[in-house]
């Protein structure tokens, strides 16, 4: 079962699992501001069970969780700005619903194995680089606080009730099926749209902020490795990349690939500046040593695959 399975990472995960002949049930609420998109499931629409429900609905979750072997728990409110404008919705989805999912597992399916998608956002502004799992947690926004609670509920239920759970702290993930019609999910989304339409990309500040990016197939692989291994239950892992890059160079790379568009440096919008984390890239040695995970796709190749996907299918992702 994949919560958030019609969203970006969840749908790519579902496609991979169908390829591996798993029986897949998808739970998604399709709240329009989030990343769920029916077209994401087009290649597997006849091969998965899709249940349109909200993880905040304790009654449906109790029923759905029964008889599942794995819960790949990806449903979330992902917008940092939205978490500041509507902190209670973020709290309900990213924290409270996680607790009720775990309660449902404890009661109705205690042998289930869970992988939870957490985020690098919970570290806040890095105190050193690269950021490893021992780095202090100091979220800079409400989303970071609630995701932190969400991941720690999983660890506590693993340790106290033996509900086997693994937590992955994802970094910026990109690839086909991400929300690109606006910058709600990530700035990369709107950049992709602008590049394809031949518009200017806006890079905030001096463009020197460093990030690490994972192509979605690499993240799917990390989720599957974590699900399969019982040696890592109760553990928290960073994902990361070998080729951190600043935002200005990322913009240049996208323009080079698309052979269209241009970029400009623009002042940081005030509401983004206050929650910006500066430079970030992760140390992912722990997951490499425990599970042998390592990202395979380079940023250049991954961006090319992504841009090609949206060139072909953009009408399913934005009106133009
Ligand atoms: N994409 C990234 O760069 C990134 C980085 C760090 C962490 N993550 C985490 O990975 C997970 C998946 O992210 P994504 O990028 O695929 O985002 P996404 O928005 O594309 O997917 C999330 C899915 O969850 C669904 N959802 C949201 N609230 C729901 C609810 N109450 N009930 C049922 N479904 C609900 C949405 O409809 C959406 O389809 C999230 O938990 C996110 O916090 C993603």
């Amino acid at each position: 079962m994949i919560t958030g399975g019609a969203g970006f990472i969840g749908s790519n995960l579902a496609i991979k699992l169908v390829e591996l002949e798993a029986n897949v049930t998808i739970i998604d609420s399709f709240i329009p501001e989030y990343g769920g998109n029916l077209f994401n499931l087009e290649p597997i629409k006849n091969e998965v069970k899709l249940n349109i429900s909200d993880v905040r609905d304790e009654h449906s979750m109790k029923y759905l969780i029964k008889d599942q072997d794995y819960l790949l728990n990806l449903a979330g409110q992902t917008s940092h700005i939205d978490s500041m404008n509507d902190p209670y919705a973020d709290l309900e989805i990213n924290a409270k619903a996680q607790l009720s999912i775990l309660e449902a597992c404890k009661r109705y399916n205690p042998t289930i194995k869970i992988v939870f998608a957490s985020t690098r956002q919970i570290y806040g502004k890095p105190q050193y680089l690269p950021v490893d799992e021992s780095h202090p947690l100091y979220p800079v926004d409400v989303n970071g606080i609630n995701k932190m609670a969400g991941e720690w509920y999983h660890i506590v239920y693993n340790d106290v009730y033996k509900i086997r759970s693994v937590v992955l702290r994802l970094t910026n993930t990109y690839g086909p099926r991400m929300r690109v019609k606006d910058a709600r999910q990530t700035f990369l989304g709107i950049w992709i749209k602008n590049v394809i339409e031949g518009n200017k990309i806006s890079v905030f500040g001096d463009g020197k902020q460093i990030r690490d990016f994972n192509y979605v197939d690499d993240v799917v692989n990390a989720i599957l490795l974590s699900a399969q291994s019982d040696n890592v239950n109760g553990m928290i892992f960073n994902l990361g990349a070998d080729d951190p890059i600043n935002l200005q160079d990322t913009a240049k790379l996208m323009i080079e690939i698309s052979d269209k568009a241009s970029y400009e440096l623009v002042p940081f919008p005030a509401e983004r500046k206050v929650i910006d984390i500066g430079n970030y890239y992760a140390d992912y040695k722990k997951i490499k040593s425990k599970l042998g995970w390592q990202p395979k796709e380079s940023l250049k190749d991954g961006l090319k695959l992504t841009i090609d996907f949206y060139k072909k299918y953009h009408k399913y992702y934005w009106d133009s």
Side-chain angles (χ1 to χ4, degrees):
M1 179 167 126
I2 308 173
T3 65
F8 163 42
I9 301 171
S11 60
N12 284 286
L13 180 61
I15 291 166
K16 182 70 189 173
L17 282 166
V18 167
E19 202 182 299
L20 296 169
E21 299 183 2
N23 293 321
V24 179
T25 301
I26 287 170
I27 313 298
D28 206 291
S29 57
F30 287 97
I31 296 167
E33 291 78 20
Y34 303 168
N37 183 334
L38 208 47
F39 183 74
N40 284 347
L41 301 174
E42 180 65 21
I44 50 169
K45 65 179 180 201
N46 299 321
E47 287 154 289
V48 293
K49 279 186 218 142
L50 172 61
N51 192 302
I52 301 179
S53 52
D54 196 299
V55 292
R56 286 171 288 188
D57 180 350
E58 289 176 38
H59 302 291
S60 59
M61 290 311 289
K62 273 180 198 164
Y63 172 79
L64 290 162
I65 225 116
K66 284 180 190 162
D67 304 323
Q68 300 291 346
D69 297 319
Y70 296 93
L71 167 60
L72 308 175
N73 194 8
L74 273 63
Q77 194 300 106
T78 63
S79 162
H80 302 298
I81 295 281
D82 286 4
S83 82
M84 302 309 284
N85 295 332
D86 185 0
Y88 299 111
D90 195 273
L91 174 72
E92 294 279 329
I93 298 171
N94 289 331
K96 187 173 172 220
Q98 303 309 318
L99 191 54
S100 53
I101 288 172
L102 287 159
E103 273 295 300
C105 291
K106 186 177 108 191
R107 224 160 137 213
Y108 299 103
N109 191 348
T111 59
I112 199 166
K113 168 78 187 260
I114 309 176
V115 181
F116 177 69
S118 182
T119 170
R120 59 119 171 95
Q121 190 68 9
I122 70 175
Y123 293 117
K125 286 189 176 65
Q127 296 174 13
Y128 57 84
L129 291 167
V131 173
D132 58 17
E133 291 84 351
S134 308
H135 185 285
L137 303 181
Y138 198 141
V140 293
D141 58 27
V142 168
N143 180 261
I145 297 172
N146 295 328
K147 289 295 280 191
M148 187 162 89
E151 69 161 50
W152 281 96
Y153 290 140
H154 285 78
I155 299 302
V156 166
Y157 274 63
N158 176 87
D159 295 352
V160 177
Y161 302 118
K162 310 296 169 214
I163 312 288
R164 298 170 299 151
S165 300
V166 181
V167 167
L168 299 179
R169 290 183 184 152
L170 276 47
T171 187
N172 295 276
T173 307
Y174 70 97
R177 303 182 178 82
M178 67 199 284
R179 181 183 176 107
V180 293
K181 66 176 156 197
D182 50 35
R184 264 175 195 282
Q185 229 174 31
T186 149
F187 63 89
L188 264 192
I190 193 73
W191 284 14
I192 288 166
K193 173 176 181 272
N194 283 336
V195 150
I196 290 173
E197 291 191 323
N199 297 329
K200 247 189 198 141
I201 298 177
S202 298
V203 181
F204 296 152
D206 62 5
K208 301 285 182 232
Q209 310 92 300
I210 301 174
R211 290 287 180 274
D212 51 359
F213 297 101
N214 278 145
Y215 186 65
V216 66
D217 287 2
D218 285 322
V219 174
V220 164
N221 190 23
I223 294 170
L224 296 181
L225 287 170
S226 307
Q228 280 170 303
S229 167
D230 266 333
N231 297 327
V232 294
N233 295 336
M235 291 191 191
I236 296 175
F237 295 110
N238 280 347
L239 301 189
D242 297 316
D243 48 2
I245 181 172
N246 74 38
L247 298 190
Q248 189 172 17
D249 289 342
T250 311
K252 285 183 187 159
L253 189 60
M254 285 175 70
I255 289 161
E256 181 193 318
I257 293 166
S258 69
D259 205 20
K260 247 176 156 185
S262 55
Y263 77 93
E264 61 179 345
L265 297 176
V266 299
F268 248 107
E271 81 274 17
R272 286 194 185 262
K273 183 68 196 161
V274 284
I275 59 170
D276 182 56
I277 59 162
N279 294 332
Y280 176 91
Y281 52 95
D283 175 331
Y284 70 86
K285 279 207 273 305
K286 186 175 169 190
I287 189 166
K288 189 175 176 189
S289 77
K290 297 277 179 196
L291 290 172
W293 180 84
Q294 190 164 11
K296 294 198 179 107
E297 204 64 72
S298 71
L299 183 60
K300 189 169 184 184
D301 291 347
L303 282 174
K304 190 168 173 351
L305 290 167
T306 309
I307 290 169
D308 285 349
F309 176 87
Y310 287 102
K311 276 186 180 159
K312 203 160 162 196
Y313 297 119
H314 58 84
K315 71 172 177 184
Y316 299 103
Y317 292 88
W318 73 81
D319 302 323
S320 52

